[in-house]
Structure formats: C-alpha cells, structure tokens
Amino acid sequence: MFFWGTAFRATLIGTEHAPALTFTALRAAPAALVLVAAALVMGAKLPRGRIWFWAVVTGLVMIAFPLIALAESVTRAGAGNAAVLANTAPFFVLILSRLFLGERASPLAIAGLGVGFAGVVVMVSSQLGGVDESAELAFGMALALASAGAWGVGILIMKQLMERDASLDVVGLTASQYVIGALACVAVALVVDSPSDTDWSASALWGSIAWVAIGSSAIAQLAFYAGLRRLPANRAAVWSFLAPVVAVLVEVARGDTPEPIVLAGMVLAIAGVAIVNLARIELRR
C-alpha cells in the first residue's frame, strides 16, 4: 500500500510530461522487464499449460485494463470521482469471494468495509465532481467502476490459483502477467497517443517512471500477492483503503497540509482496516 499510495504523486509528475496512456505504457513495460529479470535471477518457473492461460487472463484483467481505465477515468471524471469508484474493489471481492470461494465475512467485517470506504469518500470529497455533467463524465465513472470490478475478479482468480496449487511460482506468474499487460498498454498508447506529445528529455518523467515501474508496479504487485497467499481475499482487498492515506501523507511530507476533513477521512480509512482485522481475530477466538 505504501508503493501504491506513492504512485499518485509520481503519476501526477509524469503526466505533466506525457499523455496519460503513454505514461501508463511507460510504467508497465519497464515493470515487465524488471519482473522478468527477477524471475530469471531467482530461477522462477514461468507459467505453462493451464496456468499460462490464467496468466494471460489476469495480465489483461489486473494489469492492462485497470491501468488504462484509471488513466482515462481520471481525465474524464476527475481525480476524486475516479479515486472513490476505484476503491470499491473490496466490495466486489466481498461479494464474489462469498459466492465462489466460500469465504464468510462477519457483520463486524462488513461494517469495517463500510467505514473504510466512507473514509476514502471523505478524503477526496473536496475533489468530487469537478467536471461537467455529461456523457463523458458518466463514461469516466463507468471506467473507474469497471477497473475496480476487474481488479476484484483478478484477486479472486489469483486466490483460487494459490489455493489449488501451493507450489505456484508467484514471481514467474507475475512476470508473465506484466508482459501481457505491458504489450496491451503499449499497443493502446501507440494507437491513441502521438510520440510528439511526450517530452522525452524530461528527467522528472523518467524519475517518476522508475518509481512507479519498480516500486508501485513490480514490488507492490509481488508484495500484495504474498499477502494474498496468506490472507482471505476479502481481508487482503480491504487494505487498499490505505493507499489514499499514504497519498495524503506524501502531500503532508511535501508541506501541503490537508484540510481537517481529509484528516478525518484518513482516520476512518485506517479504522476500517483495523475493524476488518479485528473481526478476523474475533472469528479465530
């Protein structure tokens, strides 16, 4: 969540020098190279047979589509609207994990999800709206919601693969996912954007790309999967409420003190995560 939360500022810096879709492609492609190199150094096993099929599916569902959809949704619907709708992924996971994985959430855990999401809404409340009511706004919000749904479905697929095969090589699978996702992102960027719209000589662009590719993509994805292997899907997903909290703390560190309502939202988001974990502890007892 640290790396995903810091991606907001890095992306903002990067998109000052490149169109959103081009920046997305430049984020995914180096991340794929880093993960492939890591897989080779660690002797990881690349997917084969049935796992390769799921690598393609999750590469499109968890990497390519969410990155592309979020880039477009921020442009069309505003950062606040996109942030709120993109953070509905834990709700998709809560419902689908009950239907397909048999995971149960206690009333306290469900309440924790509500509190955490309320915190996200409060944190970005000052940014909500910001664009004209139009078909473009509706389409942007639909893209953000779809990205959350796709991410939630991807989490469930990964959890199911991990439970069926305890020896599943997550590093090799993640590298394959990013290769597929990066190819899709690059193809879309080449079709939609023009290379001349990017300031290729800007050092700030390459610095932000290095951060989001290595940290917010490669390291963050592997770390999340490591947590997902050890936690129920709905409990792992709820931690995503902390990414906006990290984003706010980054702005505080830069000297941009948030309004009291943003701090209140941070408290709610953190409380939501704590409540869900507390519910799990109580279930064990």
Side-chain angles (χ1 to χ4, degrees):
M1 293 312 132
F2 165 75
F3 281 112
W4 281 340
T6 55
F8 289 95
R9 169 53 56 177
T11 299
L12 182 62
I13 294 173
T15 51
E16 291 177 352
H17 305 281
L21 290 177
T22 297
F23 182 81
T24 298
L26 292 173
R27 169 182 180 171
L33 295 176
V34 169
L35 286 166
V36 168
L40 293 174
V41 170
M42 298 172 65
K45 297 178 181 179
L46 296 177
R48 294 181 180 180
R50 179 180 61 88
I51 301 300
W52 175 248
F53 168 78
W54 290 116
V56 174
V57 171
T58 52
L60 295 175
V61 169
M62 298 190 75
I63 310 300
F65 181 73
L67 289 179
I68 293 171
L70 280 175
E72 287 298 308
S73 65
V74 169
T75 301
R76 298 170 185 271
N81 290 323
V84 169
L85 293 172
N87 273 281
T88 58
F91 294 100
F92 285 98
V93 174
L94 175 68
I95 296 170
L96 296 176
S97 63
R98 179 69 182 94
L99 293 175
F100 296 104
L101 299 184
E103 293 184 357
R104 295 183 178 181
S106 68
L108 183 59
I110 296 173
L113 247 75
V115 171
F117 183 67
V120 174
V121 174
V122 171
M123 272 190 286
V124 302
S125 59
S126 61
Q127 301 181 50
L128 292 178
V131 292
D132 294 333
E133 296 292 335
S134 63
E136 184 175 11
L137 169 61
F139 183 57
M141 295 177 73
L143 283 175
L145 190 62
S147 72
W151 179 251
V153 170
I155 289 176
L156 295 181
I157 293 174
M158 288 297 300
K159 185 63 176 178
Q160 189 75 352
L161 292 174
M162 292 173 180
E163 290 186 345
R164 288 183 176 181
D165 185 2
S167 63
L168 179 69
D169 195 316
V170 174
V171 176
L173 177 56
T174 306
S176 301
Q177 288 176 334
Y178 259 90
V179 169
I180 298 299
L183 289 174
C185 289
V186 170
V188 172
L190 288 175
V191 171
V192 177
D193 293 339
S194 171
S196 61
D197 294 333
T198 300
D199 182 4
W200 299 100
S201 62
S203 58
L205 171 65
W206 296 108
S208 61
I209 287 172
W211 183 264
V212 296
I214 298 173
S216 302
S217 296
I219 295 176
Q221 198 81 6
L222 289 174
F224 181 77
Y225 285 163
L228 182 62
R229 187 187 285 276
R230 294 163 175 79
L231 296 173
N234 52 35
R235 187 180 172 198
V238 78
W239 282 81
S240 64
F241 290 147
L242 293 187
V245 174
V246 174
V248 172
L249 292 177
V250 169
E251 298 308 309
V252 172
R254 296 180 67 253
D256 187 6
T257 305
E259 300 175 359
I261 191 171
V262 176
L263 297 177
M266 289 174 57
V267 172
L268 284 174
I270 295 171
V273 176
I275 291 170
V276 171
N277 282 275
L278 177 63
R280 185 66 183 175
I281 293 172
E282 288 185 348
L283 274 177
R284 287 179 176 174
R285 287 176 180 172

